[in-house]
Structures are given as C-alpha cells and as structure tokens.
Amino acid sequence: MSERQNGPLLQVRDLKVYYHVEAGAVKAVDGASFNLRSGKKMGLVGESGSGKSTMALAMMRMIKEPGRIEGGQMILDGIDLVSLSEEQMRQTRLRRLAMIPQGAMNSLNPVMRIDRQLVDGMIDHGITFSRDERDDRIEALLRSVDLDPKVAKMYPHELSGGMKQRVTVAMSIALEPDLVIADEPTSALDVVIQRRVMETINRIQDELGLAVILIGHDMGLMAQSVSRLAVMYAGKMMEVGDTVDMFREPLHPYTQLLIESLPVLDNKGVFSGIPGITPSLLNPPPGCVFHTRCPKAWDLCREEIPEFAEVAPRRWVACHLHTAS
Ligand code: ATP
Ligand code: SF4
C-alpha cells in the first residue's frame, strides 16, 4: 500500500473518453479533472448518462470499442495509467486500484463457488498459496466484509443481494489496493441493506486506509457517506469540493438544483427532479453545456465554455458566475 500522505493519490487531468458511433463521437467524458487524496472517499454524482461509469471504466483502462481514451492523464501515485501497456495495466488492476462495477453482484459466476471466485483474481496476479493459506485468506476476506466463512462453499444463488454485494466488495480488496471505485454499489438493494453494506465499506476503508470513489446519482446518500464530492454533467466536471461546503453553499447552479431537488419533509419526500433534459453528447450545446437548463444563464454562457477553476482552496467550479471577470 502507498505510504503517500501528502499530495493527491490520484490526479485526473483533462480526461477525454469518446465513443465513436456511426453518427459521430459521443463525448461521454470531455475534459474532466479532479484530485483524490489517499484514504479519502469521494462521491462522483450526476444524472444518468453524465459519464460517471465511463469515467470509472477509463480509470481501470477497461473502455471497450467503440470507446477510446482520447486524451488526458490519470496519475495514480506518480504513474500515469493512460501511458501503461496492457500488461502493466493488468498488473496494476486489483493490486493498486480495483472496481466494483455496476451490477457486479448479478455478474458473479452462477456455477462457481464463492471461494473460487475470490481466489481467481489473486491467482491471475501470480499469487500462489498452499491449500491452508488459501482457505485462511478466503476466511479472512469473508470476515472482513461481515460474511460467515461458510459462504466460501456456497453458490451465488444461495446468497441474498446484500451478501452477494459483500462478496464483490471482498473481491475488490483481495489484493489490498490503494483505491477502490464502486459504481452504484448499493442501488439494487433495499434501504436498510444499503446502509449496512455502506457501513461495511466505510469500516474497511478505515482499516485498510483505502481511497474510495463512490459513484451514484443520489446526493442525499452521498452527503452521508463521502467527504468530497465531484458533480458531473454531460461529460464535464461542474463542481468539486468538500461535501459540507458544497451542501452549505453550492456554487454551481447545477449543484444547487441537485440539492434543492432532494426529497425533504416540505415536499413530502418526493424527488422533484431538474426541469429540462440532458443534452446530446454527440452534439453538445456551445458554451456552457448546462446553459439549456440553467436558470442563471446569460449571453456569455451560450458562447464561451467556462473554465474549470479553483475558486477557493480545493474548491473547483466551471461556471462564468464565478470565473468571468
Ligand atoms: P448511469 O448513471 O445511467 O449509469 P453514467 O453517468 O454512468 O450513467 P455513462 O454510462 O458513462 O453515464 O454514459 C455516458 C454517455 O456515453 C451516455 O450518453 C451513453 O449513452 C454513452 N455510452 C456509454 N457506453 C457507450 C457505448 N458503448 N457506445 C456508445 N455510447 C455509449
Ligand atoms: Fe449557468 Fe452560465 Fe454558470 Fe453555465 S456558466 S452554469 S449557464 S450561469
């Protein structure tokens, strides 16, 4: 594990990921930047289609055709993941960074016992163990995610949703990486189970000193779980900052709307949503991508792309309201 305490563990700089379809390039991630310190938890939020999963897959270098990383850097502990060969990247996955993909709990192999599924990743990385070491390691991993070691001999269909999701968490930490990216890890679970799985993730994060990127669209859930927030819209980063500051004083109109539309007692717990539709990523609007829905837009917003600027220490925003001179 990295001993790095100062400076960011991960620096994503101007990352661009496009899907090349017949009609043109879908700019799923279009110049996104953020930093993450080691041992910290950051939420990546935005509406469906804003590019969150693409960002996660890009960080794992698992973008498939017709997608391509078009530019930018993803520097993990001094190493630019974009520049690694396929083989170097294969060695890096799981050891340095791991992902719990969206829907992972439903992608467990139905005909393979859990113990095999847990060790396969480790064996792939050239780790060899005696039978006893293997069993001990599996038991420790299962216990670390609050599962009974008996689960080792079970098949996925014998487990509840929450248990399956715990197995995927165990898989991601098998080689004690520095960073885990969890794409909507609890969205398929009911609220009580969601909370329990999140508690387990939080505990493991503390114990292992893990940095975590939690992807989701629920700002409310994020507010309870992460210390930093990154808000994405139409492939671009809109605002990044400490969660408390962003809730206290959201700077970007999109962040403001996301927070205002959260269910509260006043509106009987109903999520009101944000008026308007997300723009086409094949042909994004000129200027600020949010101008078609922004209640504060003016002429400049329709013409010029706002710079993503650090407007206060470790507080970044892409909006002319805060950066235009
Ligand atoms: P969700 O919350 O629904 O998972 P997301 O924010 O994770 O959404 P992505 O799944 O990254 O968003 O999608 C970003 C954009 O890229 C969308 O417009 C989507 O249609 C497009 N996209 C994703 N995968 C492909 C693909 N294989 N080919 C073409 N376009 C794609
Ligand atoms: Fe709204 Fe303009 Fe700011 Fe974009 S740049 S969020 S359109 S005020």
Side-chain angles (χ1 to χ4, degrees), residues 252-254 288 290-291 294 296-298 301 306 318-321:
H252 197 286
Y254 181 56
C288 170
F290 190 55
H291 86 246
C294 181
K296 296 183 177 157
W298 78 102
C301 306
C319 173
H320 290 312
L321 284 172

Side-chain angles (χ1 to χ4, degrees), residues 21 86 94 118 153 196 205 210 237 258 270 290 300:
V21 297
E86 284 300 325
L94 219 57
L118 280 172
K153 294 295 166 210
R196 293 211 191 112
Q205 185 207 356
L210 263 182
M237 218 41 105
L258 281 178
V270 176
F290 190 55
L300 179 67

